[in-house]
């Protein structure tokens, strides 16, 4: 193979692909375009909707227990509550837009996957994907010598993470259009983003090792 062709292949090789590291774990970095991929905003709205639904049901129940609930009271309270929900939904979108701006319009995530668990590791907002990838290259070399120290040092850069034990996962839901795979436990709903080229591999891997999960 000519040197020019090798250089061309190197330049065009994707830098967000899933790779197997010497410690037996798959790692990749994914940048979620926060304005073009609505998955995070949808999750925010779901949480808001459930929270408001619980509050509405609680208040209606209290009014009913007091014997003051009639059709007029129900309609008046519900219409006012819907206006309040609309206000907070608009406020939620504004807050999401500001958050996206503060992140540079991208949500950068490191994923770590093996046969036992998948880790969704949010990176600090100032860390660019290229920096994370450089650290992964260093990590790949270090793992052959001292994997515990190297891994701990790298993950210390992160802020928040969500870990799903695959044996405890109840549902695996593909959302290919958003490059998303939902990995849901009873009290933990993880989100795995992966590029088009590796989507089937990661989805099939999760299906195989989430032995107690319902695949949708």
């Amino acid at each position: 193979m000519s040197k020019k062709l090798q250089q061309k292949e190197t330049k065009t090789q994707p830098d967000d692909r899933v790779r197997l590291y010497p410690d037996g774990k798959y790692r990749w970095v994914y940048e979620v375009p926060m304005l073009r991929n609505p998955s995070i905003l949808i999750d925010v709205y779901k949480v808001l909707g459930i929270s408001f639904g619980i509050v509405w049901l609680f208040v209606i129940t209290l009014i009913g227990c007091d014997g003051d609930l009639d059709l007029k009271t129900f309609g008046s309270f519900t219409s006012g509550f819907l206006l309040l929900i609309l206000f907070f939904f608009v406020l939620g979108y504004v807050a999401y837009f500001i958050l996206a701006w503060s992140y540079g319009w991208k949500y950068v995530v490191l994923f770590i996957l093996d046969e036992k668990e998948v880790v969704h590791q949010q990176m600090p907002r100032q860390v660019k994907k290229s920096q994370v990838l450089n650290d992964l290259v260093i990590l790949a070399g270090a793992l052959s010598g001292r994997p515990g120290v190297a891994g701990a040092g790298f993950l210390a850069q992160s802020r928040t993470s969500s870990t799903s034990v695959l044996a405890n996962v109840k549902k695996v839901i593909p959302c290919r259009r958003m490059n998303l795979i939902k990995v849901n436990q009873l009290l933990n709903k993880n989100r795995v983003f992966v590029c088009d080229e590796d989507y089937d591999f990661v989805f099939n891997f999760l299906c195989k090792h989430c032995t107690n999960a319902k695949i949708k």
Side-chain angles (χ1 to χ4, degrees):
M1 184 181 291
S2 68
K3 185 176 181 181
K4 180 181 289 188
L5 185 57
Q6 288 179 335
Q7 290 176 344
K8 184 177 180 180
E9 287 190 354
T10 301
K11 290 179 180 179
T12 58
Q13 183 180 9
D15 57 4
D16 57 354
R17 297 296 300 271
V18 177
R19 291 183 174 86
L20 180 62
Y21 283 75
D23 61 349
K25 298 178 184 290
Y26 293 95
R27 289 178 174 84
W28 70 97
V29 176
Y30 192 90
E31 288 183 349
V32 183
M34 296 181 70
L35 294 186
R36 289 189 288 110
N37 188 327
S39 57
I40 299 174
L41 181 60
I42 290 172
D43 282 341
V44 171
Y45 278 156
K46 283 183 178 179
V47 172
L48 283 175
I50 292 172
S51 300
F52 275 107
I54 292 173
V55 173
W56 174 85
L57 183 61
F58 178 73
V59 175
I60 286 293
T61 302
L62 286 180
I63 296 174
C65 290
D66 289 338
D68 298 327
L69 184 63
D70 55 27
L71 189 60
K72 182 178 180 181
T73 303
F74 179 85
S76 177
F77 176 77
T78 301
S79 59
F81 204 80
L82 288 174
L83 288 175
L84 184 64
I85 292 175
L86 178 62
F87 170 76
F88 274 97
F89 268 52
V90 173
L91 186 63
Y93 182 81
V94 173
Y96 177 81
F97 185 87
I98 294 173
L99 179 67
W101 171 76
S102 70
Y103 280 1
W105 312 112
K106 293 179 180 179
Y107 176 75
V108 183
V109 195
L110 166 67
F111 292 98
I112 305 171
L113 174 67
D114 61 18
E115 296 179 354
K116 294 183 178 180
E117 64 183 21
V118 58
V119 180
H120 172 130
Q121 191 79 47
Q122 179 185 352
M123 305 309 298
R125 66 180 183 180
Q126 68 271 21
V127 177
K128 302 297 183 181
K129 184 168 72 172
S130 58
Q131 293 175 288
V132 180
L133 289 166
N134 286 337
D135 287 335
L136 283 177
V137 172
I138 296 172
L139 178 59
L143 283 173
S144 59
R146 301 177 66 188
V149 176
F154 176 73
L155 294 179
Q157 299 178 28
S158 59
R159 288 185 174 180
T160 58
S161 67
S162 177
T163 301
S164 294
V165 177
L166 301 188
N168 297 333
V169 172
K170 300 301 181 183
K171 290 183 181 179
V172 178
I173 306 172
C175 302
R176 188 181 294 270
R177 184 174 59 87
M178 294 185 285
N179 292 95
L180 170 65
I181 303 171
K182 297 180 181 180
V183 180
N184 295 345
Q185 293 178 243
L186 185 61
L187 298 177
N188 179 30
K189 299 183 184 299
N190 211 338
R191 299 294 181 258
V192 177
F193 294 93
V194 61
C195 66
D196 292 330
E197 294 83 358
D198 294 317
Y199 190 94
D200 289 328
F201 168 76
V202 173
F203 178 68
N204 291 331
F205 188 97
L206 289 170
C207 291
K208 179 181 178 181
H209 294 93
C210 295
T211 54
N212 297 312
K214 180 179 180 181
I215 311 299
K216 289 198 172 183

